[in-house]
Amino acid sequence: MEEDFDRELKVLVVGNGGVGKTSMIRRFAKGIYTDEYKKTIGVDFLEKALFVDELQEEVRFMLWDTAGQEEFDAITRTYYRGAGAAVIAFSTTDRASFDAVAMWKSKVEAECGEIAVALVQNKVDLVDQAVVSATEVETLARKLGLKLYRTCVKEGINVTEVFVYLAELNQRKQ
Ligand code: GDP
Ligand code: MG
């Protein structure tokens, strides 16, 4: 029998290398986490079906990871095509990743138009190594008009919430 999903949503997870994008996708789609850092080679994606209470429907999330070439502006058009939502992620411990957020937002908008976007500050467990203040993060989120989520992918904190929000926002935009 063919599976009948109410809705399919392609979600991009963008941001500088090392912020936890691959870990976030694996955590959400499979519920697993490892500390080892393998640079993602090529575009990769995982699927996750989730019944979203707020929408009263099952959403099939198609989670697209980047090519691990985040630094070189090398992401292909195929990556962006058909996306309905995007996570823009940075790390609490990586200043450059925070400074790159506006650039990532522009890139997503240029390729995808006005899709649903959320700003994610990952690695909040490493607060003692923080290089961005809570205030400047909130200021940037407000300036860019993005809802901010603070996640700890390592412990699985606030991860599902991000994707549920994107599914809701995507529906509101349709
Ligand atoms: P990507 O390059 O953005 O795909 O980043 P990865 O998912 O490969 O993660 C980079 C490193 O950060 C890996 O060693 C992960 O285990 C680690 N990492 C990811 N999320 C967290 C987190 O919430 N807390 C901590 N402490 N480490 C994390
Ligand atoms: Mg990766």
Side-chain angles (χ1 to χ4, degrees):
M1 206 178 83
E2 224 173 283
E3 279 178 298
D4 183 24
F5 292 95
D6 289 345
R7 205 144 59 88
E8 193 174 294
L9 179 61
K10 175 174 174 177
V11 184
L12 311 177
V13 181
V14 301
N16 284 11
V19 302
K21 300 182 300 296
T22 301
S23 303
M24 185 178 304
I25 291 170
R26 285 158 56 91
R27 164 64 79 190
F28 176 58
K30 298 188 157 176
I32 54 172
Y33 175 83
T34 70
D35 265 318
E36 66 185 292
Y37 178 32
K38 282 208 196 93
K39 215 163 186 253
T40 319
I41 313 277
V43 170
D44 216 350
F45 83 89
L46 286 177
E47 280 183 40
K48 163 85 173 174
L50 182 74
F51 187 84
V52 178
D53 287 332
E54 291 84 347
L55 299 176
Q56 280 299 299
E57 66 178 351
E58 181 153 59
V59 177
R60 179 153 58 134
F61 293 90
M62 317 290 283
L63 306 152
W64 286 56
D65 203 352
T66 54
Q69 292 165 320
E70 298 95 340
E71 307 88 338
F72 307 113
D73 202 9
I75 300 174
T76 64
R77 278 267 149 81
T78 313
Y79 177 74
Y80 293 100
R81 194 174 301 137
V87 170
I88 298 176
F90 68 97
S91 166
T92 303
T93 61
D94 179 350
R95 183 76 209 184
S97 74
F98 174 73
D99 293 336
V101 163
M103 182 276 290
W104 282 111
K105 182 170 183 270
S106 306
K107 197 174 273 192
V108 167
E109 278 174 1
E111 298 287 344
C112 307
E114 294 269 305
I115 59 170
V117 176
L119 180 62
V120 171
Q121 175 178 11
N122 187 38
K123 307 196 190 184
V124 295
D125 55 307
L126 301 178
V127 65
D128 53 330
Q129 297 168 43
V131 292
V132 285
S133 75
T135 311
E136 60 186 335
V137 173
E138 282 152 22
T139 302
L140 181 67
R142 208 175 309 118
K143 187 178 141 206
L144 297 178
L146 299 177
K147 182 155 180 191
L148 169 68
Y149 283 87
R150 293 188 167 98
T151 63
C152 175
V153 165
K154 185 173 185 173
E155 307 294 340
I157 295 165
N158 233 6
V159 176
T160 301
E161 287 82 347
V162 173
F163 294 98
V164 167
Y165 166 72
L166 287 173
E168 289 177 279
L169 188 56
N170 169 261
Q171 198 194 49
R172 268 186 269 145
K173 282 177 178 285
Q174 278 170 356

